[in-house]
Structure formats: structure tokens, C-alpha cells
Amino acid sequence: MATKLLADRPARSTGQNGAGIYRNGSLAFPNVVSSDPEVAALLDRVLPMVETWREHLTVSIGRATELTGLKDTQIRYFEELYRQERDTSTPAGATRSYSLADLRRLAVFAELLKQGYRPAQAAEVVRSCAHLIDRGATRNIADVLRREGDAITDGFLLSRLASQVIFAAQLELRERSPKAGITAMFVVEQVIDPASTADVTRIGRELAADARDMLVALDRATIVGEQSESGDSLWSDDESSIVLFYSRESWSVPLPDNTAFCCYRPPSAPETTVVFAVQQVESEIIPPTLNVALPARAHLLDWMVRMCRIIFPEFRQATHAHGYRYRSDGYRLAHTRDALNRLMQRMRSLIFGDDADASMACLLLPNDLYKPSHLSILAHAGYSEEIARRVRLSLSGEGEGLSGRAFLTREPFLTRDAAHDERVYGAQHEDCKVALAVPLLSHWDTYPFGVLYLASRRPASPLLSETAFVALVFSNILSELLGRWWLTRLRRKHDTLLHDYVTEYIRWFNGMDLHSPEFEEGVQQIERIWERAAAMSETGSGRAVVERMSRQYVTLAVLDIDRCRDHRSRGDEPFLLAAQRHVQKAVEQILPGVRGYWFKNDHTLLALDGCSLDEAVVLIRRIASRVQMVPVAIAGRSERTPVTISAALKTLSYQELYDLSHHDRDVLKSSLTSIIEMLYEKTHGSERTIHAFQNGNWENVS
């Protein structure tokens, strides 16, 4: 048994500015207890018994005043008014002691006084309601269920928000330490401003040793010690799940030895500190404070933490039943595989009875929901592990096997002559006589989440039509379970995409309107060219300056992505975002250093300083050719999508640009806006066409 059961706990106090002050370093005690089964068994035997003593414990009048906020004179006055019957066994002159029942009545009396009741009135209310006070508040099961429903919703949101905070912080850390991985997050309502790595490590270890009354988010696989899927698994992408945990009691969070810690204080809530536990490699250094460099990510982190703080109080209220609550942000397949294997074993026992040992049951999953190519076994009973890992049922044509057909047709298949039924994959090898395949449907018009397959080697096995119907109903439950895993997987895939392209998404939003922020930036760039033209006009006077300015040009070009609505097919990112990225890459390749300014979602403005109209037409043709020759790659789609562009151009000499307005910037901006809108209008109604405005007319120069 552990020998340090009475080790002193570290004291936590609050400094002058509300900052958390931590003493005595990190503790080993909670980890000793949690890892010692003898100690755990001892506490399980003793503590429930001690809990029953509280009704028999008493306190002095001094302690009663501290607990209730009443003065001792008020307590004695209440006793006189309430006519408290003194314990006859208490000797005269002995100090009065107060039981838990007494304290309940005094607490109600104190609350009534706060509400403005006179002492006599308050004492009478307490006396008339004594039986209710002693029994405690009556709990309405409807209220409990309503609170529980709210807690489930709040927990769902909190777990997702926590996973987003961890994901964004981890991406920021990996800018400096590529292999860093966040394993836990503690949200503390205190100011923690560590001066060094040693300080934040000490603070982090203390939080992990005593994680009470705070929002805690954990990476389940790291904390529990579960292994990830092997590399040859169909589903070997990142399936880590974040578990949200809260308790008013003391719990310890086991962390790996190579854990470092990092603090983050959201700008909108500087009194809050988020402490991240980071698993690191020896060669990497984790900064004690997380400073977010990317503005969009900084805004995201600040907002997500603030939302956690708003939702957390409601979630915290629903912990009375068992002292703690937890929620997961999703389903990790490795977590459920063992449970599903046991479920398959139970299913074949229930369905086939005495013939269970001669039967098989398995769950098959597609490799993808968008364009599935084959099915593989996720969980099974009756197959060897080697066979289960090797099975790949093709989904080409009508589908391979009974399960492949059930998946593609979205209909169940039952055969009582499997040995001679060509639809049953491996029937001869399995020597099965009866077989049933049921698709796990989300909707009759969509691909199933998987297939439930049951088979037996004995023809007399009770795979009746009634049993098939039971399997069909049970498959609905399995559909929800696997559907949640698929949705979690798709959400995390989308999360990765969002965080990887955070800058592009911000620009995309900035370019959705006609006069968008990007549009305004484009106008400002042209105004800077105007400033150079104005400076040239001031270098001299007369015909020479005018001729020099008339021989220097700027060409404005608006590019339009053709037929964007026709290409809005499935993928993991918006088509227009991928198309914008594709067009911008073509512009950068042909015109290094030239930026496009997006507006109206599918138009971009180019300001080609120093280019005549003829030169600009050649460059725009090259860009259009480059866009069309290399189809756009959309995340989540195996095939590429062809894209074409149209364009409208107008060339201004420096003199013409300067003449738009010599002094009034508002007039200049209005004139430039009108020119760009004219180019925008000209790109409508035509595809793969380049129009140029010259000699007062529009000409097709494609």
C-alpha cells in the first residue's frame, strides 16, 4: 500500500491582482493513489460510510454564524421566537450545538431576513415549513430531465468548441514545433502569467494533479493510452477524440512524462487563462506563453474560448447527480471496435442460438461515403483476424457478394441456399448455407453507412423472415452509431481544411460583395498609381510632361470565372474558393508579384502598371490558357474540374488617370469605381471571351 497517504496538498491562494499563486511544486500524491488499487479499494470501503455521518454531526454557534451569515444574537433570537426545544440531555449552561437540520432552518431564516421579512414573520415561515426544510427540496423529474437535456446540448457544444480551441492552438504551436501535440486543456478563471518554462510546468502539473471546478478537455487516446489504428487500416487518418470533463471534486489527469505546458490568455477575457498540456519531443522547445501570429487564428481562438466561458456555467450546474460530467467531441473507431465485436458475438448467439458456433456476424464499412469503391470488415464474430483484415468487397458493377449488392441497391438480401447462390461472396469458402445482408441506411437515396452481414453453416439455422425483420430494425440503431462516427470523421476532415486555408477563407469572405473590402483594396492600389502620376505632373509643365505621362500606361483588367454554378458539385470545400485559388496561381505564374482583388465572389481585379493594352491582352490570354489547361483540384474530389475565365480590359495613360481628378479624392474614387463596374458588367453573358475597350468601342480580342 502507498505510504504517503497524508502528504500535504499544495496551497492555492490569490495574489493582489487576482493572479493564481501556486506553492510547493507539483504533486505525486494523486498519481500514487490513482495507480494503487489497494488504496482505491480502501477509499471505496470507507468514504461511503463516512458520508452517512453528516446528519449526526454538530457545530458550535460560532461556526453556525460563519455558515449562515447570521449574528449570534440573531440565532438566539430565532430560537426564542421559534421556541426551539433544547436537548434535555444537555446539562444546564452547556454550549448549544447545531445539527445539519438546525443549520438548514437557520439558513432559510437568514434568506428570509435578506428578502425583507421581519424576524417574527421569518421564524413563523420556518416553523410552518419545517417538514419541507428538513426533507429538502422536492425534485420534479420533468425539471431534472429538462436540465439534463440542456446539459447534453451544452456539453455537445462545449466539447466541439474545446476541440476547435485545441486544434487551432496546436496548429499555431506546430509553426515552431512541428511534432508538438496537445493532450489536455485546462480553462482556469485566474490570471496566470508565468515568467519561465519552469513556472508554467509547475502550474500545469498542479492543475493536472487537482483538476477540480474547472473546464478540462482531454485527448482520450493519449490519456487512456489507447493505440491508434495500424497503418494498413482503411480508416487510419486522425481519429483522436476530445473528451470534456468537469467535477467539483478532486480528480487527477495522468499526463505523459514528456509533457510541457503553455499558457494562453484570450484578449477579450484576460482574467481567464487556458493552460495547454503539450506532448513534445526532446529537441523541441514549447514556449511558456502562446502568442498567436496569424490574426484570423487569434480571433478564432479568442472567440472560441469566450464562447466556452459563456456556455460552461450552465453545463456546470448539471453535476449534482454524480459529482462530475463528461462529453466527447465525437467517436473514435478504435474506441467502439471492441464493443462492436462483442455486439456481433451477442447477435449471433441471440439469432442462431445453439448454432452460434457455426455462424458468422460482421459489420462492413465503405472506404468512403462520397465515392465508395469497396467494403471492409470493421467488427466481426466467427471470422479469424487474418480473414477479417483481408476482406475487400468490390463495389464496382452490381457489387461483390450479398453485402456489396445490399450496399449498392440500399435493400436487404436474404438467401436460404447460400452455397449455390452466386451473390454470396465466399460462400463456398465459408461453407455457409443461409445468409442475410442488411444496409445501414441514413436515407434510401444515399449510400449506406455500412452493411450488417449474418450467415450460418447449418441450413436449419433460424434465419427466418421474422428474424430478418428484427435485423432490419436493429440496423437502424447501428446506422445511428456508425453515422455519428462518419459525421465526426467528415467534420474533422473539414476542420483540417478550414484551419489549413484560414487566410484564404478570410479573403474569400472579404471578396463576396461588389464593393467588398478586397474591392476597396484594389481601388486603393490604383489610387497609389494615381499618386505617382500626380507626382510626375509636378516635375515640370508644358507639353513635355504631358507627352511623357501619355506614353506611360496602366491597364485595368477584370477576370470572371465562367459558369461557376455548373461546377458546384460535391467536395470538401466550396468550388469558388478552389477556383479562386486556381486562378490566383495562374496569375502569379504569369505575372509574379501582381495580386488579384476579388469581388462579387467570382471576379478579380488586376492593375497592370506599366502595361499597354496590347501587352496586357497577351498576358491575359496566357492566364486564361493556363487556367483552362490545368483543371482545378477541389479537396475531397478525386477528379479535377475544368474551369475557364472571361476578361474585360481598359487601358489608361498616366495623364488620363490623373485627369480623372486632380485634387478631389472622392471624385477619383467614384470615377475608378465606375470604370471597374463597367469592366465587371462586360464580363457577363460570355464565356472564354476577352474584351478590350479601345477607340471608344468594345472589341473581342480573344
Side-chain angles (χ1 to χ4, degrees):
M1 183 180 294
T3 59
K4 296 183 179 180
L5 295 182
L6 301 179
D8 290 334
R9 298 178 59 82
R12 289 189 196 172
S13 60
T14 302
Q16 293 179 350
N17 297 322
I21 302 173
Y22 297 78
R23 303 193 188 100
N24 297 342
S26 60
L27 287 179
F29 167 66
N31 290 332
V32 171
V33 173
S34 63
S35 61
D36 193 326
E38 229 178 310
V39 174
L42 171 65
L43 298 182
D44 286 342
R45 288 195 306 272
V46 174
L47 296 185
M49 177 179 63
V50 174
E51 182 66 18
T52 64
W53 295 352
R54 29 184 221 137
E55 295 289 342
H56 306 286
L57 300 178
T58 60
V59 298
S60 66
I61 191 170
R63 183 60 176 152
T65 60
E66 293 177 9
L67 294 173
T68 63
L70 295 170
K71 298 177 182 178
D72 56 351
T73 54
Q74 289 177 306
I75 293 177
R76 290 193 174 96
Y77 183 61
F78 169 75
E79 291 179 348
E80 293 298 326
L81 290 173
Y82 184 59
R83 301 179 184 87
Q84 295 263 23
E85 294 184 2
R86 295 185 180 275
D87 190 345
T88 57
S89 64
T90 303
T95 303
R96 170 82 161 98
S97 59
Y98 298 84
S99 67
L100 184 61
D102 294 333
L103 293 174
R104 288 195 187 107
R105 298 175 186 180
L106 287 172
V108 174
F109 178 70
E111 182 62 27
L112 291 172
L113 293 181
K114 290 179 184 178
Q115 294 180 10
Y117 283 79
R118 295 177 181 176
Q121 292 175 322
E124 180 60 30
V125 171
V126 172
R127 189 158 62 89
S128 61
C129 299
H131 64 292
L132 296 176
I133 297 172
D134 293 343
R135 188 179 65 183
T138 302
R139 298 185 182 276
N140 185 308
I141 193 169
D143 294 336
V144 173
L145 293 176
R146 192 176 298 112
R147 274 199 308 272
E148 183 69 12
D150 293 341
I152 291 173
T153 302
D154 291 338
F156 175 89
L157 292 172
L158 271 176
S159 61
R160 266 66 174 177
L161 290 167
S163 67
Q164 290 291 335
V165 171
I166 288 177
F167 195 75
Q170 184 164 273
L171 286 176
E172 192 66 30
L173 284 174
R174 285 181 175 174
E175 297 287 338
R176 309 168 182 83
S177 306
K179 295 184 180 179
I182 295 177
T183 58
M185 177 183 82
F186 306 90
V187 181
V188 186
E189 292 299 325
Q190 291 179 351
V191 176
I192 300 176
D193 194 8
S196 64
T197 299
D199 284 345
V200 73
T201 299
R202 173 171 51 81
I203 292 168
R205 287 290 177 187
E206 291 177 0
L207 291 174
D210 187 10
R212 77 172 83 184
D213 206 25
M214 69 181 73
L215 180 63
V216 181
L218 313 167
D219 174 58
R220 173 170 176 150
T222 303
I223 300 302
V224 179
E226 294 166 327
Q227 299 296 321
S228 298
E229 293 293 321
S230 59
D232 59 351
S233 170
L234 285 175
W235 311 284
S236 58
D237 55 320
D238 180 16
E239 295 169 5
S240 60
S241 62
I242 301 300
V243 175
L244 188 80
F245 188 87
Y246 168 75
S247 176
R248 292 187 176 90
E249 302 170 357
S250 178
W251 292 76
S252 65
V253 179
L255 295 173
D257 294 336
N258 62 336
T259 299
F261 295 89
C262 181
C263 289
Y264 167 74
R265 289 173 59 192
S268 65
E271 71 282 2
T272 299
T273 306
V274 181
V275 180
F276 296 105
V278 187
Q279 198 168 4
Q280 63 173 353
V281 296
E282 293 182 1
S283 59
E284 295 180 338
I285 299 176
I286 303 300
T289 302
L290 179 65
N291 296 312
V292 186
L294 190 65
R297 189 175 292 152
H299 182 76
L300 175 70
L301 266 173
D302 180 73
W303 192 91
M304 291 291 178
V305 173
R306 185 171 46 177
M307 184 61 71
C308 285
R309 293 180 69 247
I310 292 172
I311 299 175
F312 179 53
E314 296 295 330
F315 180 78
R316 181 167 50 189
Q317 292 303 315
T319 60
H320 302 293
H322 35 250
Y324 69 89
R325 295 197 69 88
Y326 79 94
R327 290 286 293 175
S328 171
D329 82 323
Y331 290 78
R332 189 171 184 265
L333 208 56
H335 299 169
T336 57
R337 177 163 286 168
D338 291 341
L340 290 174
N341 282 334
R342 292 192 297 271
L343 179 62
M344 293 297 101
Q345 182 65 47
R346 292 164 182 161
M347 278 202 68
R348 71 172 187 162
S349 296
L350 285 172
I351 289 178
F352 297 108
D354 294 338
D355 294 340
D357 291 341
S359 66
M360 292 81 71
C362 69
L363 276 176
L364 299 104
L365 258 64
N367 61 311
D368 184 67
L369 282 184
Y370 171 50
K371 282 195 172 181
S373 61
H374 55 268
L375 299 173
S376 297
I377 291 179
L378 167 65
H380 65 91
Y383 293 99
S384 69
E385 285 296 331
E386 181 182 356
I387 291 177
R389 284 195 301 268
R390 196 172 61 241
V391 168
R392 298 287 188 275
L393 299 185
S394 172
L395 294 175
S396 60
E398 295 182 349
E400 191 172 14
L402 211 64
S403 297
R405 290 171 180 260
F407 182 88
L408 292 177
T409 61
R410 288 82 157 168
E411 296 177 0
F413 278 90
L414 171 65
T415 177
R416 298 183 178 89
D417 188 19
H420 300 93
D421 195 330
E422 296 180 354
R423 300 174 302 172
V424 183
Y425 175 84
Q428 292 72 26
H429 176 73
E430 295 174 351
D431 194 27
C432 66
K433 307 302 181 183
V434 294
L436 170 68
V438 180
L440 308 181
L441 293 171
S442 59
H443 190 274
W444 293 103
D445 292 333
T446 61
Y447 282 121
F449 294 129
V451 175
L452 171 64
Y453 178 73
L454 303 168
S456 176
R457 298 184 183 92
R458 295 179 183 171
S461 293
L463 198 53
L464 307 175
S465 297
E466 290 81 1
T467 306
F469 179 74
V470 170
L472 185 65
V473 174
F474 188 72
S475 70
N476 275 346
I477 301 174
L478 294 175
S479 297
E480 181 179 3
L481 177 64
L482 294 181
R484 289 183 179 182
W485 176 79
W486 274 112
L487 290 175
T488 299
R489 189 169 183 255
L490 293 173
R491 175 179 61 81
R492 289 187 180 137
K493 189 176 181 181
H494 195 208
D495 283 347
T496 301
L497 187 75
L498 290 174
H499 286 280
D500 285 346
Y501 293 119
V502 57
T503 303
E504 294 186 20
Y505 272 96
I506 297 300
R507 283 197 63 191
W508 185 44
F509 283 116
N510 281 341
M512 284 192 174
D513 294 329
L514 177 58
H515 294 166
S516 64
E518 285 260 317
F519 181 94
E520 297 298 327
E521 289 183 39
V523 172
Q524 290 170 10
Q525 186 197 1
I526 303 171
E527 288 180 350
R528 288 191 288 272
I529 299 173
W530 175 89
E531 290 171 357
R532 291 199 293 273
M536 288 179 61
S537 70
E538 295 174 357
T539 58
S541 59
R543 182 176 300 175
V545 174
V546 173
E547 289 179 355
R548 186 167 69 251
M549 293 179 63
S550 299
R551 291 194 300 269
Q552 194 158 344
Y553 303 98
V554 56
T555 298
L556 306 182
V558 170
L559 310 184
D560 176 24
I561 300 173
D562 292 332
R563 298 188 304 125
C564 62
R565 288 189 179 87
D566 296 345
H567 297 307
R568 289 177 184 172
S569 50
R570 296 176 183 175
D572 292 338
E573 64 177 335
F575 164 76
L576 279 176
L577 180 62
Q580 285 185 13
R581 186 188 312 125
H582 182 68
V583 172
Q584 189 60 41
K585 285 181 179 178
V587 171
E588 291 171 355
Q589 184 177 26
I590 306 301
L591 295 168
V594 173
R595 175 186 167 185
Y597 299 92
W598 290 92
F599 64 98
K600 206 59 179 177
N601 218 3
D602 56 354
H603 291 72
T604 188
L605 169 66
L606 304 178
L608 307 180
D609 191 16
C611 284
S612 66
L613 182 60
D614 292 339
E615 293 170 333
V617 167
V618 172
L619 293 171
I620 298 302
R621 284 173 181 165
R622 291 176 60 194
I623 293 172
S625 177
R626 175 72 172 76
V627 168
Q628 185 174 358
M629 282 192 304
V630 182
V632 61
I634 301 176
R637 299 189 61 184
S638 56
E639 73 277 8
R640 290 174 172 259
T641 304
V643 173
T644 60
I645 61 172
S646 299
L649 296 81
K650 178 178 175 60
T651 299
L652 298 171
S653 68
Y654 269 34
Q655 185 63 53
E656 290 173 323
L657 179 62
Y658 180 61
D659 287 342
L660 292 178
S661 176
H662 287 188
H663 303 290
D664 194 329
R665 284 298 187 99
D666 291 337
V667 173
L668 173 64
K669 183 176 180 179
S670 176
S671 300
L672 292 175
T673 299
S674 298
I675 293 172
I676 297 169
E677 289 177 351
M678 177 186 67
L679 297 174
Y680 161 72
E681 293 293 338
K682 192 59 184 177
T683 59
H684 288 183
S686 59
E687 297 177 9
R688 293 179 292 180
T689 304
I690 301 174
H691 288 97
F693 189 81
Q694 53 185 350
N695 301 323
N697 296 302
W698 286 104
E699 296 184 12
N700 187 335
V701 294
S702 305

